[in-house]
Amino acid sequence: MQTRTAAEPVTGLILSGGGARAAYQVGVLAGIADLLPHGAPNPFPVIVGTSAGAINAVKLASGASHFCTAIHQLVQFWQGFRSHQVLRSDWPGVVHQASRFVGHSLLGMGSQVPVALLNSSPLRDLLTDRLDLAGIDHALEARHLQAVAVTAFGYESGQAVTFYQGSGAIDSWLRHRRIGLPTQLTVDHLLASSAIPLLFAPVKIGQEYFGDGAVRQSAPISPALHLGANRVLVVGVSGNPRGIETNSPVQRTVMGSQPTLAQIGGHMLNSTFIDSLESDIELLERLNMLSRLLPGEQPVRTLGLAPVEVLVIAPSQPIDEIAARHRHELPPALRMFLRGPGATKTSGAGVLSYLLFEAGYCSELIDLGRKDAMAQRDQLKKFLQLG
């Protein structure tokens, strides 16, 4: 890890995964842009993204030389979303992919190719058309960016691999089941990082197939620290960032109904995308408490326990409920495909919240993100050291 001085704050931005839920992150970033003075530089020298958060991270990094413009483009990008831009949502596409999945993955028929429940091939064309990856190099050269990273999961190695592009000498790292590798980021890295298991096909990078980076990512904040950040802003996609609901004495009404496949899948997705981030935030805060109890500054830094300031912004409303209100926006073929497992029911809206790439839903998440950022206006201004 790089050597840093206490007098030199380096702010890292953590954008977690979550499919269509990542539209919320864009709203938070738009709120931050509203707080910045006109023409302000990029306030996040280190940007780290996972899953759909990786797409937002790279888009922001490639436009780091013109931060507010990049945010404006991100907002337009998500507000104009339609499902067909991300996956095949027409009848032939849905039926063909479902038949292919059943035939190959369940019955062992057909050629040995990566197969998933949904065909996300349109996303490659969208990212190729909308992203200017050369902008990352320009931002690095102009010192408007220190590093950007995306994390993907290697299915053979079982490693969470953080692919990063940065300026200067940034050492790679090797920890238990997570490593950091310097590279020139490409669309393949973004597709791999956002390939939700079973739903989207894994992507081959080098000699290995990779999938969504949230899988087995035990320490989502760690890559930002390895890349030089000593304070982090975490934008989550959970409405329960600190386990408040779990510890609340108020008991939810239990109906005793058998869970649908979508309801089970929703909890599994939440476990993949949300739980590790929340646990990492809690661990970081405990380490910060420990560092404050140790005498003297030098022993703290020698032990690697230098405090890391962290600010978390997460949805103030349940995203599942927002998704349920917008389920009618799904294309007919996709709606039919998801109806069987129960994803179009209120109880199965967890899965829907990750797959609803439609303008109405994404726009409401953007509005919620901006509102939540404004609700923490004072904390953000202090954190970003704005006058």
Side-chain angles (χ1 to χ4, degrees):
M1 192 179 299
Q2 290 182 311
T3 302
R4 302 181 299 268
T5 63
E8 185 184 355
V10 178
T11 306
L13 175 65
I14 311 294
L15 300 175
S16 61
R21 287 180 173 223
Y24 173 82
Q25 300 169 350
V26 178
V28 173
L29 292 172
I32 292 173
D34 291 341
L35 296 177
L36 298 175
H38 179 71
N42 169 36
F44 306 108
V46 175
I47 304 174
V48 177
T50 303
S51 191
I55 297 174
N56 288 339
V58 168
K59 176 63 176 175
L60 186 58
S62 64
S65 296
H66 306 281
F67 181 76
C68 289
T69 300
I71 298 300
H72 178 69
Q73 291 174 348
L74 261 178
V75 171
Q76 289 186 318
F77 179 75
W78 281 91
Q79 284 183 336
F81 251 140
R82 297 292 186 276
S83 293
H84 68 83
Q85 295 175 299
V86 179
L87 48 88
R88 287 288 302 274
S89 58
D90 57 299
W91 282 106
V94 171
V95 172
H96 174 73
Q97 188 69 13
S99 302
R100 194 163 172 246
F101 179 83
V102 172
H104 176 266
S105 300
L106 300 184
L107 302 179
M109 300 168 57
S111 58
Q112 296 296 316
V113 295
V115 174
L117 281 166
L118 300 170
N119 182 346
S120 59
S121 58
L123 182 58
R124 176 181 293 276
D125 295 332
L126 178 67
L127 296 181
T128 301
D129 178 60
R130 298 291 185 89
L131 293 180
D132 177 21
L133 296 179
I136 297 177
D137 289 324
H138 298 324
L140 291 171
E141 292 172 3
R143 299 185 180 276
H144 293 136
L145 181 71
Q146 181 170 310
V148 57
V150 303
T151 300
F153 172 73
Y155 279 102
E156 288 189 70
S157 65
Q159 298 269 21
V161 182
T162 297
F163 299 97
Y164 65 88
Q165 188 172 338
S167 60
I170 301 177
D171 295 334
S172 58
W173 61 89
L174 173 62
R175 298 293 185 269
H176 179 63
R177 293 204 176 277
R178 52 190 174 91
I179 62 176
L181 294 176
T183 191
Q184 191 79 17
L185 293 176
T186 67
V187 168
D188 281 340
H189 293 99
L190 303 184
L191 292 171
S193 181
S194 57
I196 300 175
L198 296 181
L199 296 179
F200 299 147
V203 178
K204 193 172 186 180
I205 299 176
Q207 299 300 314
E208 186 174 11
Y209 279 98
F210 287 85
D212 200 293
V215 179
R216 301 289 292 273
Q217 189 184 30
S218 57
I221 298 175
S222 177
L225 306 184
H226 281 289
L227 295 172
N230 49 25
R231 56 212 299 273
V232 292
L233 172 64
V234 180
V235 184
V237 291
S238 166
N240 180 30
R242 306 298 178 90
I244 295 174
E245 292 179 8
T246 303
N247 299 327
S248 172
V250 178
Q251 297 294 320
R252 291 186 176 184
T253 302
V254 178
M255 303 301 294
S257 303
Q258 184 172 342
T260 64
L261 183 60
Q263 194 172 0
I264 295 171
H267 286 297
M268 293 178 66
L269 288 172
N270 287 342
S271 177
T272 298
F273 290 108
I274 296 170
D275 290 355
S276 60
L277 177 61
E278 294 177 354
S279 298
D280 205 26
I281 293 170
E282 183 178 3
L283 175 61
L284 183 58
E285 291 178 336
R286 289 179 181 272
L287 291 175
N288 284 342
M289 292 175 60
L290 176 61
S291 69
R292 288 191 286 268
L293 295 175
L294 295 176
E297 180 177 329
Q298 189 60 38
V300 168
R301 296 190 177 279
T302 302
L303 293 171
L305 292 175
V308 177
E309 184 180 1
V310 57
L311 177 62
V312 181
I313 299 181
S316 58
Q317 300 177 23
I319 291 185
D320 293 5
E321 295 180 8
I322 297 175
R325 293 200 297 268
H326 290 273
R327 56 177 175 253
H328 64 277
E329 296 179 18
L330 277 174
L334 199 57
R335 191 184 313 143
M336 178 68 72
F337 178 75
L338 295 174
R339 181 179 299 166
T344 56
K345 298 179 180 179
T346 301
S347 61
V351 169
L352 192 64
S353 70
Y354 291 91
L355 297 176
L356 193 51
F357 293 96
E358 293 293 334
Y361 171 64
C362 292
S363 294
E364 184 167 348
L365 290 188
I366 290 172
D367 291 341
L368 177 63
R370 191 190 295 265
K371 173 186 172 185
D372 290 345
M374 290 299 100
Q376 297 196 49
R377 173 195 297 263
D378 293 339
Q379 297 95 314
L380 278 169
K381 292 180 73 172
K382 181 180 178 182
F383 183 83
L384 297 175
Q385 300 178 339
L386 300 176

PDB file of all heavy atoms in Angstrom, residues 135-153:
ATOM      1  N   GLY A 135     -10.527   8.715 -22.064  1.00  0.00           N
ATOM      2  CA  GLY A 135     -10.623   9.827 -21.128  1.00  0.00           C
ATOM      3  C   GLY A 135      -9.952   9.533 -19.800  1.00  0.00           C
ATOM      4  O   GLY A 135      -9.542  10.456 -19.086  1.00  0.00           O
ATOM      5  N   ILE A 136      -9.836   8.236 -19.448  1.00  0.00           N
ATOM      6  CA  ILE A 136      -9.157   7.876 -18.199  1.00  0.00           C
ATOM      7  C   ILE A 136      -7.689   8.291 -18.266  1.00  0.00           C
ATOM      8  O   ILE A 136      -7.147   8.886 -17.334  1.00  0.00           O
ATOM      9  CB  ILE A 136      -9.286   6.366 -17.921  1.00  0.00           C
ATOM     10  CG1 ILE A 136     -10.754   5.984 -17.713  1.00  0.00           C
ATOM     11  CG2 ILE A 136      -8.456   5.971 -16.708  1.00  0.00           C
ATOM     12  CD1 ILE A 136     -10.981   4.501 -17.516  1.00  0.00           C
ATOM     13  N   ASP A 137      -7.043   7.972 -19.379  1.00  0.00           N
ATOM     14  CA  ASP A 137      -5.638   8.357 -19.554  1.00  0.00           C
ATOM     15  C   ASP A 137      -5.468   9.873 -19.502  1.00  0.00           C
ATOM     16  O   ASP A 137      -4.525  10.387 -18.883  1.00  0.00           O
ATOM     17  CB  ASP A 137      -5.099   7.822 -20.882  1.00  0.00           C
ATOM     18  CG  ASP A 137      -4.910   6.311 -20.872  1.00  0.00           C
ATOM     19  OD1 ASP A 137      -4.524   5.783 -19.811  1.00  0.00           O
ATOM     20  OD2 ASP A 137      -5.164   5.673 -21.906  1.00  0.00           O
ATOM     21  N   HIS A 138      -6.374  10.598 -20.135  1.00  0.00           N
ATOM     22  CA  HIS A 138      -6.302  12.054 -20.132  1.00  0.00           C
ATOM     23  C   HIS A 138      -6.437  12.604 -18.706  1.00  0.00           C
ATOM     24  O   HIS A 138      -5.698  13.515 -18.312  1.00  0.00           O
ATOM     25  CB  HIS A 138      -7.388  12.650 -21.024  1.00  0.00           C
ATOM     26  CG  HIS A 138      -7.273  12.260 -22.465  1.00  0.00           C
ATOM     27  ND1 HIS A 138      -6.068  12.100 -23.104  1.00  0.00           N
ATOM     28  CD2 HIS A 138      -8.231  11.998 -23.414  1.00  0.00           C
ATOM     29  CE1 HIS A 138      -6.262  11.762 -24.368  1.00  0.00           C
ATOM     30  NE2 HIS A 138      -7.577  11.694 -24.576  1.00  0.00           N
ATOM     31  N   ALA A 139      -7.371  12.037 -17.944  1.00  0.00           N
ATOM     32  CA  ALA A 139      -7.580  12.495 -16.569  1.00  0.00           C
ATOM     33  C   ALA A 139      -6.371  12.181 -15.690  1.00  0.00           C
ATOM     34  O   ALA A 139      -5.997  12.976 -14.822  1.00  0.00           O
ATOM     35  CB  ALA A 139      -8.838  11.859 -15.993  1.00  0.00           C
ATOM     36  N   LEU A 140      -5.763  11.018 -15.908  1.00  0.00           N
ATOM     37  CA  LEU A 140      -4.578  10.644 -15.137  1.00  0.00           C
ATOM     38  C   LEU A 140      -3.407  11.575 -15.460  1.00  0.00           C
ATOM     39  O   LEU A 140      -2.687  12.030 -14.565  1.00  0.00           O
ATOM     40  CB  LEU A 140      -4.193   9.188 -15.426  1.00  0.00           C
ATOM     41  CG  LEU A 140      -5.156   8.113 -14.901  1.00  0.00           C
ATOM     42  CD1 LEU A 140      -4.776   6.742 -15.449  1.00  0.00           C
ATOM     43  CD2 LEU A 140      -5.160   8.086 -13.376  1.00  0.00           C
ATOM     44  N   GLU A 141      -3.219  11.852 -16.740  1.00  0.00           N
ATOM     45  CA  GLU A 141      -2.120  12.720 -17.155  1.00  0.00           C
ATOM     46  C   GLU A 141      -2.296  14.137 -16.626  1.00  0.00           C
ATOM     47  O   GLU A 141      -1.321  14.810 -16.264  1.00  0.00           O
ATOM     48  CB  GLU A 141      -2.018  12.734 -18.686  1.00  0.00           C
ATOM     49  CG  GLU A 141      -1.572  11.418 -19.285  1.00  0.00           C
ATOM     50  CD  GLU A 141      -1.678  11.405 -20.798  1.00  0.00           C
ATOM     51  OE1 GLU A 141      -2.045  12.455 -21.376  1.00  0.00           O
ATOM     52  OE2 GLU A 141      -1.410  10.352 -21.402  1.00  0.00           O
ATOM     53  N   ALA A 142      -3.549  14.596 -16.567  1.00  0.00           N
ATOM     54  CA  ALA A 142      -3.835  15.942 -16.077  1.00  0.00           C
ATOM     55  C   ALA A 142      -3.908  16.015 -14.555  1.00  0.00           C
ATOM     56  O   ALA A 142      -4.188  17.076 -14.001  1.00  0.00           O
ATOM     57  CB  ALA A 142      -5.142  16.443 -16.683  1.00  0.00           C
ATOM     58  N   ARG A 143      -3.703  14.879 -13.885  1.00  0.00           N
ATOM     59  CA  ARG A 143      -3.765  14.778 -12.422  1.00  0.00           C
ATOM     60  C   ARG A 143      -5.139  15.125 -11.863  1.00  0.00           C
ATOM     61  O   ARG A 143      -5.270  15.612 -10.738  1.00  0.00           O
ATOM     62  CB  ARG A 143      -2.688  15.647 -11.770  1.00  0.00           C
ATOM     63  CG  ARG A 143      -1.267  15.249 -12.154  1.00  0.00           C
ATOM     64  CD  ARG A 143      -0.236  16.072 -11.376  1.00  0.00           C
ATOM     65  NE  ARG A 143       1.128  15.706 -11.744  1.00  0.00           N
ATOM     66  CZ  ARG A 143       1.804  14.680 -11.228  1.00  0.00           C
ATOM     67  NH1 ARG A 143       1.215  13.914 -10.328  1.00  0.00           N
ATOM     68  NH2 ARG A 143       3.039  14.422 -11.612  1.00  0.00           N
ATOM     69  N   HIS A 144      -6.172  14.903 -12.662  1.00  0.00           N
ATOM     70  CA  HIS A 144      -7.535  15.045 -12.169  1.00  0.00           C
ATOM     71  C   HIS A 144      -8.043  13.734 -11.580  1.00  0.00           C
ATOM     72  O   HIS A 144      -9.158  13.674 -11.050  1.00  0.00           O
ATOM     73  CB  HIS A 144      -8.463  15.485 -13.307  1.00  0.00           C
ATOM     74  CG  HIS A 144      -8.170  16.857 -13.807  1.00  0.00           C
ATOM     75  ND1 HIS A 144      -8.132  17.172 -15.143  1.00  0.00           N
ATOM     76  CD2 HIS A 144      -7.881  18.010 -13.139  1.00  0.00           C
ATOM     77  CE1 HIS A 144      -7.837  18.451 -15.287  1.00  0.00           C
ATOM     78  NE2 HIS A 144      -7.674  18.976 -14.093  1.00  0.00           N
ATOM     79  N   LEU A 145      -7.210  12.715 -11.682  1.00  0.00           N
ATOM     80  CA  LEU A 145      -7.563  11.378 -11.207  1.00  0.00           C
ATOM     81  C   LEU A 145      -6.286  10.683 -10.780  1.00  0.00           C
ATOM     82  O   LEU A 145      -5.238  10.832 -11.429  1.00  0.00           O
ATOM     83  CB  LEU A 145      -8.254  10.590 -12.328  1.00  0.00           C
ATOM     84  CG  LEU A 145      -8.715   9.171 -12.010  1.00  0.00           C
ATOM     85  CD1 LEU A 145      -9.913   9.202 -11.053  1.00  0.00           C
ATOM     86  CD2 LEU A 145      -9.116   8.431 -13.300  1.00  0.00           C
ATOM     87  N   GLN A 146      -6.370   9.940  -9.685  1.00  0.00           N
ATOM     88  CA  GLN A 146      -5.215   9.168  -9.212  1.00  0.00           C
ATOM     89  C   GLN A 146      -5.325   7.706  -9.614  1.00  0.00           C
ATOM     90  O   GLN A 146      -4.342   7.088 -10.011  1.00  0.00           O
ATOM     91  CB  GLN A 146      -5.103   9.282  -7.686  1.00  0.00           C
ATOM     92  CG  GLN A 146      -3.915   8.547  -7.077  1.00  0.00           C
ATOM     93  CD  GLN A 146      -3.739   8.903  -5.620  1.00  0.00           C
ATOM     94  OE1 GLN A 146      -3.720  10.083  -5.251  1.00  0.00           O
ATOM     95  NE2 GLN A 146      -3.618   7.899  -4.758  1.00  0.00           N
ATOM     96  N   ALA A 147      -6.532   7.144  -9.511  1.00  0.00           N
ATOM     97  CA  ALA A 147      -6.731   5.739  -9.890  1.00  0.00           C
ATOM     98  C   ALA A 147      -8.215   5.442  -9.995  1.00  0.00           C
ATOM     99  O   ALA A 147      -9.044   6.054  -9.321  1.00  0.00           O
ATOM    100  CB  ALA A 147      -6.080   4.806  -8.871  1.00  0.00           C
ATOM    101  N   VAL A 148      -8.535   4.490 -10.858  1.00  0.00           N
ATOM    102  CA  VAL A 148      -9.897   3.969 -10.970  1.00  0.00           C
ATOM    103  C   VAL A 148      -9.796   2.457 -11.011  1.00  0.00           C
ATOM    104  O   VAL A 148      -8.848   1.899 -11.591  1.00  0.00           O
ATOM    105  CB  VAL A 148     -10.618   4.517 -12.219  1.00  0.00           C
ATOM    106  CG1 VAL A 148      -9.851   4.191 -13.495  1.00  0.00           C
ATOM    107  CG2 VAL A 148     -12.048   3.976 -12.301  1.00  0.00           C
ATOM    108  N   ALA A 149     -10.742   1.785 -10.386  1.00  0.00           N
ATOM    109  CA  ALA A 149     -10.680   0.321 -10.305  1.00  0.00           C
ATOM    110  C   ALA A 149     -12.064  -0.290 -10.393  1.00  0.00           C
ATOM    111  O   ALA A 149     -13.057   0.303  -9.963  1.00  0.00           O
ATOM    112  CB  ALA A 149     -10.006  -0.099  -8.995  1.00  0.00           C
ATOM    113  N   VAL A 150     -12.112  -1.494 -10.959  1.00  0.00           N
ATOM    114  CA  VAL A 150     -13.341  -2.287 -10.985  1.00  0.00           C
ATOM    115  C   VAL A 150     -12.990  -3.693 -10.514  1.00  0.00           C
ATOM    116  O   VAL A 150     -11.878  -4.179 -10.762  1.00  0.00           O
ATOM    117  CB  VAL A 150     -13.979  -2.331 -12.392  1.00  0.00           C
ATOM    118  CG1 VAL A 150     -14.268  -0.926 -12.896  1.00  0.00           C
ATOM    119  CG2 VAL A 150     -13.097  -3.059 -13.378  1.00  0.00           C
ATOM    120  N   THR A 151     -13.916  -4.324  -9.848  1.00  0.00           N
ATOM    121  CA  THR A 151     -13.676  -5.658  -9.297  1.00  0.00           C
ATOM    122  C   THR A 151     -14.558  -6.680  -9.979  1.00  0.00           C
ATOM    123  O   THR A 151     -15.751  -6.455 -10.197  1.00  0.00           O
ATOM    124  CB  THR A 151     -13.937  -5.673  -7.779  1.00  0.00           C
ATOM    125  OG1 THR A 151     -13.065  -4.747  -7.136  1.00  0.00           O
ATOM    126  CG2 THR A 151     -13.695  -7.054  -7.195  1.00  0.00           C
ATOM    127  N   ALA A 152     -13.959  -7.816 -10.332  1.00  0.00           N
ATOM    128  CA  ALA A 152     -14.681  -8.936 -10.925  1.00  0.00           C
ATOM    129  C   ALA A 152     -14.277 -10.220 -10.200  1.00  0.00           C
ATOM    130  O   ALA A 152     -13.240 -10.268  -9.521  1.00  0.00           O
ATOM    131  CB  ALA A 152     -14.381  -9.043 -12.423  1.00  0.00           C
ATOM    132  N   PHE A 153     -15.079 -11.254 -10.352  1.00  0.00           N
ATOM    133  CA  PHE A 153     -14.851 -12.517  -9.649  1.00  0.00           C
ATOM    134  C   PHE A 153     -14.436 -13.602 -10.625  1.00  0.00           C
ATOM    135  O   PHE A 153     -15.131 -13.861 -11.607  1.00  0.00           O
ATOM    136  CB  PHE A 153     -16.117 -12.939  -8.902  1.00  0.00           C
ATOM    137  CG  PHE A 153     -16.035 -14.313  -8.300  1.00  0.00           C
ATOM    138  CD1 PHE A 153     -15.250 -14.546  -7.187  1.00  0.00           C
ATOM    139  CD2 PHE A 153     -16.738 -15.377  -8.856  1.00  0.00           C
ATOM    140  CE1 PHE A 153     -15.166 -15.819  -6.628  1.00  0.00           C
ATOM    141  CE2 PHE A 153     -16.671 -16.640  -8.315  1.00  0.00           C
ATOM    142  CZ  PHE A 153     -15.874 -16.866  -7.190  1.00  0.00           C
TER     143      PHE A 153
END
